[in-house]
Amino acid sequence: MKKKLVSCLISFTLLSSLSTPLLAKAQENTGDIKGSLVIAGGGVGTSNHDVYEKFLSLAGGKEKAKVGIIPAASTTLQSSKKFKGDLVKYGVNSDAIKILPVSNHDFSDTQKDESTWKNQVNDKKLSRTIKGLTAVWFVEGDQTKIVDSLRQNNGRDSEALKAIWDIYRKGAVIGGTSAGAAIMSDVMITGGDSLGALKESIGNKETLNKYVNKDQHNKKEYERLSVQKGLGFFQHGIIDQHMDERARLGRLAVAAYNSERDKEKNFAYGVDEDTAMIVNNKHQKIEVVGRSGVAVLDTSKAQLVSKQKARSGLENIKVSYLSPGDKINYHLKSFEFPKDKVETKGFEYYSFNALPATGVFTPYGRLKAYLSYSLVDNKSMKSANSYVYDSQGSGYEIAFQKDRDTNGYWRYTDGQKDDYSIVNVRMDIAPKTVKFQPNRKTSLTYKKPAFSSSESPVYDKIKGNLLIAGGALGSSNSSVYNKFINLAGGKQAKVGIVPAASTKFDSSNQFKADLIKYGMKAENIEILPVSNHDFKGTLENESNWKTNMNSDKLAQKVKGLTGIWFVGGDQTLITGSLRNENGSDSNVLQAMWHTYKNGAVLGGTSAGAAIMSNTMLAGGDSYGALSYGFTDTYDDMTQQEGGPAYLEKGLGFFQYGLVDQHFDNKARLGRLIATVYEKGNKNQLSYGIDEDTAMLVNNKEKQIEVVGRGGVTLVDLAKVQANDKFPSDYKNILISCITPGDKVNLTTKDIVINPAKTSTRKNEYYSEKVGPNTGLFSPHGVLRKFLAYDLIDNGQNKEIKSYAFNQNTGFELTFRKSAESNGYWAYTDGQKDDYSIVKVALDIKPINVDIK
């Protein structure tokens, strides 16, 4: 059974004020606690070694750990059994792990009636069992069930809860994920989303009572904030979970602001999925571990501002976002960062005009990425905006601003991934009404592409394969690395790395080191002298390598390779290093074609993916391509990050359509659609590859397969209807999103879904009204998740909307269930929902925007 999107749909025991005496400290004397906390934001993957190893270390080590699992939050015992199985995989003896009989309800996957367990929480035998443990873990589900199971009807702690407190004080670790994280603070958030919290709870605590006994099946597109008393193991602020995926920053801000005790003294914490905050009570510090981050809010100087009748705003909230390895001194309200992270203030890497975050066409549409690239590490930006509103346009503008104490900290992590920490971005939230009207004026600014690419020769008998990665390929992504090595001939493979796209050798050296880590011999890997520019940090002037493209000696070396890899950077530097000035193929490029046709694997990431198709996307973003069309000029970083699309001739190794990359993080669906419509073959699919993900192209079978951690978006314009008088006015684009293990036939376009997945059609798990996807406060900011949770696996919705706009013009995106639409679901890597989506229809309509 899939876990709920909203963790609390059953119990809505609400409070009239977050500062009511009911929320006094659960335990008054907490200064002597020797134990620790592991507070995970949900979706912890089995492969997340950092979280599991930290939990077991704090529990006394895998040999000595004695763990009790509390299943109360869930409706089944599946997640408890899964967590037990994971602990056994990490080396804990199965006999040292017990699923404790703590529940106030029956479980659907057993023969017993576990609702009788509610009567056992004062049983001395259970208390003795708990007192013999070194760790307790709370699984995900509904947090109110945990509290109700461990507290008596009069609100007092049961003997079982007292026993948990006893071992916690003496040194045990208490951990939990999702609902098991929500119960950790005194103020326990039990329901609500960011828009609902802002519209109906901000500065108006009395409105909470009005939500009691509401019929949840008829609820609005948004949900009010609701809270109750948690278990209080963490006494230093409010905890929220699923922070990034469900965009809960707004509801956490309202909860923290409304809680007088927490607002003045403490931060509030929002923990991302597959991530945990480790609380060390002895040293009064928190460490972030896992794969994403922790949002930290300071509302101590926030002010309530009335902007409109019946609606208010908040000003001067400080937002920080910490990454794995960062630490928080919660007593001093200060941060510590690893020494290898460098400050961005005064050394900003980016300089481009970032668009407002308005929906699923926004580059860096998740909060941490948006603040990192679009604001903190961007010298051109002093402020950046986002929006959240319902289908009637009633909502808020969220303004993020650099203050004097704003800073960022950056390093590479896990290969070539940017790892950012952000401190003290000011956030102001103001009521706004947004109105949309069709735009029926012919666009005078839209420019069709002048680019004309001669067709590359089509080879029917290519024996080699392609491995095309979408960028930010992590060193730990074993499935992609092992696939490349195996296709190249195993550990005896001979691989050449093409460094041309980059301005330094770091990424080439890193990829070589990764191949060695996965078992290749160092002497069989060579960084090829292919470049048309100099590299930073070397004594040699690599711009002299430009003549190497026609070197017979280098061409012969390339013919002896079994694998070639193109690193990321600027794709125009690759083509400029391998094509002669008259556009013809150099000797080295011809040699690459020779090795490819005869069985070698060609691979590349980011820029190394963009060069694979005949028409190469080299610049622009979705809004820019749809609004302004195409440009003939190219300005490196600025053009890569936004504006009209820029096209050049690629190397054409991929013969079956257009390829785009960084697809999820840079939201490039719009630019791919515009390019395919203008310059592509509409009868072929086009492919958008996510970061840390690769598309394996099997030329012999004429089939692709998804490998890695993200997905591939398929764009089909075979049945598209367009209005030639109004550019970017499209109907009936078909969108599919596939994930690892899924396959596609390149000629028939048939999609074969991983057989482990089950169909969602006529068996949808969710049935909820949803508002439009509007920006950083909208749940499921990545396209595939938005389509999965809000449309394909939601029985109540036949269509959903998102918007992309800047100032007074933009686009309305309507995603519809078509007659062929289907979804496929499975759990992957623990308790993570893994969706594949087939043939959702998309309509794009130009609009005028009025914001008041």
Side-chain angles (χ1 to χ4, degrees):
M1 181 67 72
K2 288 177 280 184
K3 59 187 177 184
K4 281 287 187 183
L5 177 63
V6 177
S7 58
C8 177
L9 291 180
I10 297 177
S11 175
F12 283 84
T13 307
L14 306 178
L15 310 175
S16 62
S17 169
L18 294 181
S19 56
T20 173
L22 181 58
L23 292 182
K25 290 186 179 181
Q27 300 284 324
E28 290 298 333
N29 183 16
T30 60
D32 59 344
I33 296 175
K34 297 178 182 177
S36 301
L37 299 172
V38 176
I39 306 175
V44 177
T46 303
S47 64
N48 195 326
H49 299 275
D50 292 343
V51 172
Y52 279 95
E53 296 287 1
K54 182 67 73 171
F55 178 71
L56 291 177
S57 173
L58 293 170
K62 58 187 178 183
E63 293 85 6
K64 296 181 180 180
K66 294 182 180 180
V67 183
I69 301 171
I70 294 183
S74 184
T75 57
T76 71
L77 285 179
Q78 179 182 352
S79 52
S80 298
K81 292 177 180 177
K82 183 69 176 67
F83 187 72
K84 179 175 181 177
D86 289 344
L87 294 181
V88 172
K89 288 179 183 177
Y90 279 92
V92 182
N93 189 305
S94 179
D95 293 337
I97 310 166
K98 300 182 184 298
I99 298 176
L100 301 175
V102 177
S103 176
N104 66 350
H105 61 281
D106 190 22
F107 293 98
S108 62
D109 58 347
T110 68
Q111 298 297 318
K112 297 180 180 179
D113 180 5
E114 288 84 5
S115 63
T116 60
W117 285 358
K118 171 70 175 175
N119 301 322
Q120 298 182 34
V121 290
N122 290 311
D123 184 77
K124 292 183 179 179
K125 182 179 178 182
L126 176 59
S127 295
R128 284 196 299 270
T129 298
I130 293 172
K131 289 181 179 181
L133 301 174
T134 63
V136 174
W137 184 266
F138 295 87
V139 301
E140 68 275 6
D142 178 351
Q143 48 264 51
T144 64
K145 291 178 180 177
I146 299 175
V147 174
D148 187 58
S149 299
L150 284 170
R151 283 225 172 91
Q152 301 179 81
N153 294 334
N154 60 8
R156 294 182 178 178
D157 292 356
S158 65
E159 293 301 316
L161 182 53
K162 291 177 182 177
I164 295 172
W165 268 101
D166 182 63
I167 62 171
Y168 177 42
R169 289 183 186 282
K170 292 178 179 177
V173 58
I174 310 297
T177 183
S178 187
I183 55 97
M184 294 288 181
S185 50
D186 276 340
V187 177
M188 180 177 75
I189 299 175
T190 59
D193 54 39
S194 287
L195 180 58
L198 291 169
K199 285 176 74 73
E200 305 200 26
S201 305
I202 182 172
N204 190 6
K205 304 163 191 175
E206 290 74 17
T207 62
L208 293 174
N209 278 335
K210 297 178 182 178
Y211 201 50
V212 179
N213 299 322
K214 283 273 188 179
D215 182 355
Q216 289 309 293
H217 295 287
N218 294 315
K219 78 180 184 73
K220 298 177 181 179
E221 301 165 355
Y222 49 86
E223 181 189 354
R224 270 193 188 94
L225 171 69
S226 58
V227 301
Q228 76 176 57
K229 184 179 178 181
L231 298 186
F233 298 122
F234 181 67
Q235 290 282 308
H236 309 285
I238 299 173
I239 301 291
D240 207 349
Q241 15 78 46
H242 296 283
M243 177 57 53
D244 58 341
E245 180 60 38
R246 301 184 190 176
R248 287 173 166 171
L249 189 72
R251 85 168 189 179
L252 180 59
V254 173
Y257 177 80
N258 281 0
S259 175
E260 299 297 336
R261 177 172 66 83
D262 284 292
K263 178 174 73 172
E264 298 301 326
K265 294 173 55 180
N266 301 310
F267 287 142
Y269 303 87
V271 190
D272 289 349
E273 294 184 354
D274 217 6
T275 307
M277 48 186 273
I278 311 300
V279 181
N280 184 316
N281 287 295
K282 181 179 179 180
H283 296 105
Q284 298 185 323
K285 286 187 179 181
I286 296 168
E287 181 182 3
V288 181
V289 299
R291 291 191 173 130
S292 189
V294 173
V296 183
L297 293 185
D298 186 350
T299 59
S300 61
K301 297 180 181 179
Q303 295 179 337
L304 185 69
V305 180
S306 295
K307 296 285 187 180
Q308 294 183 3
K309 185 177 180 180
R311 282 203 289 155
S312 301
L314 283 174
E315 290 184 347
N316 202 24
I317 299 168
K318 287 296 181 75
V319 179
S320 300
Y321 225 113
L322 302 206
S323 298
D326 298 342
K327 295 181 180 179
I328 307 162
N329 187 317
Y330 56 75
H331 179 64
L332 298 177
K333 296 178 76 173
S334 62
F335 306 115
E336 298 175 18
F337 302 103
K339 292 181 180 179
D340 62 341
K341 279 193 171 178
V342 296
E343 293 187 35
T344 63
K345 192 171 185 177
F347 304 94
E348 291 84 357
Y349 180 78
Y350 294 96
S351 181
F352 66 94
N353 293 320
L355 293 172
T358 57
V360 293
F361 271 17
T362 300
Y364 315 114
R366 303 284 276 273
L367 180 69
K368 180 182 172 185
Y370 185 74
L371 294 181
S372 299
Y373 295 104
S374 297
L375 182 64
V376 173
D377 200 16
N378 190 335
K379 67 183 70 173
S380 297
M381 301 291 290
K382 294 182 179 179
S383 64
N385 293 348
S386 185
Y387 298 87
V388 61
Y389 44 83
D390 60 24
S391 58
Q392 303 305 308
S394 174
Y396 295 83
E397 179 184 73
I398 303 99
F400 298 98
Q401 301 176 52
K402 290 178 180 174
D403 268 352
R404 271 193 262 179
D405 57 348
T406 301
N407 207 343
Y409 299 85
W410 172 91
R411 67 178 174 186
Y412 272 140
T413 184
D414 191 19
Q416 293 299 307
K417 293 183 177 181
D418 292 319
D419 176 32
Y420 281 100
S421 303
I422 301 161
V423 295
N424 297 323
V425 170
R426 173 173 170 149
M427 180 173 70
D428 298 334
I429 304 171
K432 296 287 182 180
T433 300
V434 185
K435 292 185 178 180
F436 303 112
Q437 296 292 333
N439 183 354
R440 289 307 175 195
K441 292 183 180 180
T442 302
S443 174
L444 300 177
T445 58
Y446 186 91
K447 182 180 178 181
K448 287 184 173 290
F451 165 80
S452 178
S453 174
S454 58
E455 290 296 322
S456 291
V458 176
Y459 298 96
D460 292 330
K461 295 182 180 180
I462 298 176
K463 296 179 182 178
N465 301 295
L466 299 173
L467 194 65
I468 309 174
L473 181 63
S475 297
S476 64
N477 196 328
S478 58
S479 58
V480 173
Y481 279 95
N482 286 329
K483 186 69 72 174
F484 179 74
I485 292 170
N486 290 337
L487 290 170
K491 295 179 180 179
Q492 301 303 316
K494 294 183 178 180
V495 173
I497 300 171
V498 178
S502 186
T503 57
K504 19 183 213 184
F505 281 110
D506 289 8
S507 51
S508 298
N509 290 329
Q510 179 67 57
F511 189 74
K512 180 177 180 177
D514 289 341
L515 293 179
I516 294 170
K517 183 180 73 173
Y518 282 99
M520 281 195 64
K521 295 180 179 179
E523 58 266 28
N524 288 348
I525 309 166
E526 183 174 351
I527 298 174
L528 302 175
V530 177
S531 176
N532 64 354
H533 60 280
D534 192 23
F535 285 82
K536 298 175 182 177
T538 68
L539 296 176
E540 185 176 358
N541 183 356
E542 289 82 8
S543 63
N544 294 327
W545 287 359
K546 186 169 182 178
T547 59
N548 289 347
M549 70 169 72
N550 287 306
S551 164
D552 290 334
K553 182 178 180 181
L554 182 57
Q556 284 302 119
K557 181 176 290 186
V558 168
K559 287 182 179 180
L561 299 173
T562 60
I564 299 172
W565 186 266
F566 298 85
V567 300
D570 182 342
Q571 46 265 52
T572 65
L573 297 178
I574 301 176
T575 55
S577 301
L578 287 171
R579 279 224 172 87
N580 297 309
E581 290 185 4
N582 64 3
S584 63
D585 291 358
S586 67
N587 289 349
V588 170
L589 181 53
Q590 291 178 41
M592 290 177 178
W593 270 103
H594 174 85
T595 59
Y596 177 40
K597 287 188 290 181
N598 285 280
V601 58
L602 305 187
T605 182
S606 186
I611 54 98
M612 292 292 180
S613 49
N614 191 51
T615 297
M616 180 176 77
L617 277 155
D621 65 357
S622 289
Y623 181 82
L626 292 172
S627 298
Y628 311 116
F630 299 80
T631 180
D632 300 329
T633 61
Y634 181 65
D635 185 19
D636 192 17
M637 180 197 299
T638 301
Q639 191 62 22
Q640 286 191 35
E641 295 300 329
Y646 175 73
L647 307 178
E648 281 194 9
K649 181 177 173 61
L651 300 185
F653 298 125
F654 181 63
Q655 308 261 310
Y656 302 97
L658 272 67
V659 169
D660 208 349
Q661 19 76 45
H662 293 284
F663 211 69
D664 51 350
N665 204 30
K666 298 194 178 184
R668 286 174 164 169
L669 177 63
R671 86 167 189 179
L672 182 58
I673 289 170
T675 304
V676 175
Y677 183 78
E678 297 287 358
K679 302 303 297 183
N681 182 341
K682 298 181 182 63
N683 292 316
Q684 292 179 322
L685 294 175
S686 292
Y687 306 84
I689 308 171
D690 290 349
E691 294 186 352
D692 215 8
T693 308
M695 183 172 85
L696 168 61
V697 181
N698 185 319
N699 285 297
K700 181 180 179 180
E701 301 293 334
K702 291 184 170 54
Q703 177 179 271
I704 70 160
E705 180 180 357
V706 184
V707 182
R709 290 181 175 141
V712 173
T713 300
L714 311 174
V715 177
D716 189 346
L717 296 189
K719 298 179 180 179
V720 70
Q721 301 170 29
N723 187 340
D724 290 335
K725 294 181 179 179
F726 302 102
S728 303
D729 188 343
Y730 300 113
K731 291 184 179 179
N732 210 36
I733 302 164
L734 291 181
I735 306 294
S736 301
C737 302
I738 57 175
T739 59
D742 298 339
K743 300 177 181 179
V744 180
N745 186 294
L746 290 163
T747 53
T748 67
K749 301 193 288 190
D750 291 335
I751 300 171
V752 180
I753 301 298
N754 186 333
K757 294 181 180 178
T758 57
S759 172
T760 63
R761 189 166 186 171
K762 296 183 180 180
N763 189 35
E764 291 85 359
Y765 184 74
Y766 302 104
S767 182
E768 300 173 345
K769 294 179 182 178
V770 296
N773 188 285
T774 58
L776 303 179
F777 278 16
S778 291
H780 317 304
V782 173
L783 177 69
R784 177 163 53 93
K785 299 291 186 70
F786 173 55
L787 296 181
Y789 290 111
D790 287 358
L791 181 65
I792 280 294
D793 204 14
N794 194 326
Q796 192 163 148
N797 299 319
K798 295 182 179 179
E799 67 176 37
I800 53 177
K801 294 184 183 294
S802 180
Y803 293 90
F805 59 87
N806 185 23
Q807 297 180 342
N808 62 349
T809 60
F811 301 92
E812 179 184 73
L813 317 176
T814 303
F815 297 91
R816 298 180 284 106
K817 288 177 180 174
S818 71
E820 302 172 285
S821 295
N822 205 344
Y824 299 87
W825 171 90
Y827 271 142
T828 184
D829 192 18
Q831 295 296 310
K832 293 183 179 179
D833 293 317
D834 177 26
Y835 282 99
S836 300
I837 298 158
V838 174
K839 296 184 179 179
V840 167
L842 167 62
D843 301 335
I844 301 177
K845 181 172 68 176
I847 54 172
N848 289 321
V849 184
D850 183 22
I851 303 174
K852 294 182 179 179

